[in-house]
Amino acid sequence: MNKKKYIGIDIGGTAVKIGSVDEDGTIHATETYAVNFDGYETPILQTVVKSCHNFLEKYRENASEYAGIGVSATGAISTKKGVVEGTAGHIKNWINSPIRQVMEQEFHIPTEVLNDANAAALGEAWIGAAKGKKDVVVVTIGTGVGGGILMNGKILLGASGFAGELGHIPVQYEGEMCTCGNRGCLEHYGSTSALVRKVRWAIQEGAIAGAADTPVDGRWIFAQATTGNVVVQKILQEWIEVIASALVGFVHMFNPEQILIGGGVSAQEDLFIAPVRSYVMKHVMPNFAKDLEICAAALKNEAGMVGAVYYCIQQERACDC
């Protein structure tokens, strides 16, 4: 018997990834298309629809061959409505995009939509590092900080489908302004962007010699820490402690059996994952530390796309009951 196939779509701030994924989580084809090619003058959703048609045309398929579409999308997504109801990055022509309505009208197959971090958590639970786990907190660290919470094998979505905005939990009382409009958010202090910003400040102030014209990014920072740059090591340690202290709070709040950390920095086992793990295990209450795992996510850039498909399958099964 042929396996059901689903279209998985992961919409980010710079690109959309589209793939063909079967009901077992096997990815058969993927393509990536830019969405910010003209500064978002062309609405992202319009680009996604066109890209999806291009994908189907390239692989000589029809939408009718697919059982559904799962969409992972950046921003505050109302999972119940399938609509973008907010975005901390204020991407032009993105807020209020009716993703589900447009995709179903265009392709005539059921469509489910959820936030990209929640989708990533589901992807990891389905075929990734959280496979077989029921209670998991997934934190993604990059330009911002995202999160997804699995409770008893299901993604926590809340009353309107907005739960999991872990990056906008305040970690500094009366702290600096965050892009979301509040002050002191974890995202402002614990994202890779925050780490880069602090290192650049140190360079501008002359604390890091010989780096005035250096293009600073996460890779450069970790390379400097490896070679013994004491100033960079201190900034990195402070940044790690901000993230790890937030994770301690998440452990006490959700009592997970596993914390997964995604994003580019998750590849840094010795300089990032291990120190985070050590800090969390040292600071959580003993009963919460028992059997707790803290490790890197496994699916990388495919997590959102795969997780969106899994959510689509879950909703399909719920309707069949």
Side-chain angles (χ1 to χ4, degrees), residues 114 118 121-122 125-126 133-137 148-158 163 254 257 310-311 314-315 317-318 321:
L114 73 167
N118 286 332
L122 277 174
W126 189 22
K133 306 290 186 183
K134 294 292 185 182
D135 297 282
V136 181
V137 173
I149 302 150
L150 286 164
M151 300 183 70
N152 196 28
K154 295 184 178 181
I155 196 73
L156 178 65
L157 294 173
F254 300 111
E257 55 191 312
Y310 188 45
Y311 183 70
Q314 285 184 326
Q315 299 307 109
R317 290 172 179 171
C321 294

Side-chain angles (χ1 to χ4, degrees), residues 99-244:
I99 300 174
R100 177 188 292 146
Q101 177 185 339
V102 168
M103 297 303 287
E104 289 187 341
Q105 287 178 348
E106 188 73 21
F107 298 102
H108 308 291
I109 51 177
T111 300
E112 298 292 343
V113 188
L114 73 167
N115 167 267
D116 51 1
N118 286 332
L122 277 174
E124 293 290 342
W126 189 22
I127 61 170
K131 187 175 181 179
K133 306 290 186 183
K134 294 292 185 182
D135 297 282
V136 181
V137 173
V138 180
V139 180
T140 56
I141 299 171
T143 304
V145 175
I149 302 150
L150 286 164
M151 300 183 70
N152 196 28
K154 295 184 178 181
I155 196 73
L156 178 65
L157 294 173
S160 302
F162 296 132
E165 290 288 352
L166 301 182
H168 297 290
I169 290 176
V171 294
Q172 291 280 352
Y173 175 65
E174 292 187 344
E176 295 173 4
M177 185 69 71
C178 177
T179 55
C180 73
N182 288 328
R183 292 184 176 274
C185 292
L186 172 60
E187 178 166 301
H188 184 76
Y189 293 93
S191 62
T192 305
S193 302
L195 175 63
V196 169
R197 184 175 67 247
K198 288 183 179 181
V199 171
R200 284 176 176 164
W201 284 346
I203 291 172
Q204 291 172 3
E205 292 171 357
I208 301 175
D213 298 322
T214 300
V216 178
D217 58 15
R219 290 178 182 174
W220 184 87
I221 291 169
F222 279 97
Q224 288 293 302
T226 301
T227 57
N229 187 315
V230 177
V231 176
V232 170
Q233 287 175 342
K234 184 175 184 295
I235 294 171
L236 183 61
Q237 180 60 31
E238 292 172 350
W239 178 73
I240 285 171
E241 289 182 1
V242 168
I243 295 168

Side-chain angles (χ1 to χ4, degrees), residues 8-320:
I9 300 175
D10 185 19
I11 307 170
T14 59
V16 56
K17 187 167 189 173
I18 301 174
S20 173
V21 184
D22 71 26
E23 59 187 326
D24 291 333
T26 302
I27 301 170
H28 294 281
T30 62
E31 298 290 336
T32 301
Y33 307 88
V35 297
N36 65 341
F37 51 87
D38 61 357
Y40 308 109
E41 289 299 327
T42 302
I44 290 180
L45 186 52
Q46 183 177 323
T47 301
V48 169
V49 169
K50 181 179 179 180
S51 299
C52 201
H53 279 297
N54 290 342
F55 177 85
L56 292 170
E57 183 178 347
K58 177 172 181 176
Y59 292 97
R60 298 180 181 179
E61 293 181 320
N62 295 314
S64 60
E65 299 173 41
Y66 288 86
I69 300 174
V71 181
S72 160
T74 184
I77 308 298
S78 172
T79 305
K80 291 186 176 182
K81 299 177 185 177
V83 174
V84 182
E85 295 204 345
T87 169
H90 307 295
I91 299 173
K92 188 175 182 179
N93 291 322
W94 184 229
I95 294 177
N96 297 323
S97 295
I99 300 174
R100 177 188 292 146
Q101 177 185 339
V102 168
M103 297 303 287
E104 289 187 341
Q105 287 178 348
E106 188 73 21
F107 298 102
H108 308 291
I109 51 177
T111 300
E112 298 292 343
V113 188
L114 73 167
N115 167 267
D116 51 1
N118 286 332
L122 277 174
E124 293 290 342
W126 189 22
I127 61 170
K131 187 175 181 179
K133 306 290 186 183
K134 294 292 185 182
D135 297 282
V136 181
V137 173
V138 180
V139 180
T140 56
I141 299 171
T143 304
V145 175
I149 302 150
L150 286 164
M151 300 183 70
N152 196 28
K154 295 184 178 181
I155 196 73
L156 178 65
L157 294 173
S160 302
F162 296 132
E165 290 288 352
L166 301 182
H168 297 290
I169 290 176
V171 294
Q172 291 280 352
Y173 175 65
E174 292 187 344
E176 295 173 4
M177 185 69 71
C178 177
T179 55
C180 73
N182 288 328
R183 292 184 176 274
C185 292
L186 172 60
E187 178 166 301
H188 184 76
Y189 293 93
S191 62
T192 305
S193 302
L195 175 63
V196 169
R197 184 175 67 247
K198 288 183 179 181
V199 171
R200 284 176 176 164
W201 284 346
I203 291 172
Q204 291 172 3
E205 292 171 357
I208 301 175
D213 298 322
T214 300
V216 178
D217 58 15
R219 290 178 182 174
W220 184 87
I221 291 169
F222 279 97
Q224 288 293 302
T226 301
T227 57
N229 187 315
V230 177
V231 176
V232 170
Q233 287 175 342
K234 184 175 184 295
I235 294 171
L236 183 61
Q237 180 60 31
E238 292 172 350
W239 178 73
I240 285 171
E241 289 182 1
V242 168
I243 295 168
S245 62
L247 295 186
V248 170
F250 300 155
V251 171
H252 289 157
M253 189 180 303
F254 300 111
N255 188 25
E257 55 191 312
Q258 184 184 58
I259 294 176
L260 287 183
I261 303 175
V265 295
S266 66
Q268 299 287 342
E269 172 64 32
D270 294 338
L271 290 176
F272 180 67
I273 298 294
V276 166
R277 184 187 298 117
S278 176
Y279 184 101
V280 173
M281 291 303 192
K282 182 179 178 180
H283 289 85
V284 296
M285 290 185 277
N287 287 344
F288 288 83
K290 186 179 179 181
D291 300 323
L292 175 64
E293 295 180 4
I294 302 173
C295 53
L299 298 181
K300 298 181 173 62
N301 291 334
E302 294 176 338
M305 181 184 71
V306 170
V309 167
Y310 188 45
Y311 183 70
C312 192
I313 292 172
Q314 285 184 326
Q315 299 307 109
E316 183 181 88
R317 290 172 179 171
C319 291
D320 291 340

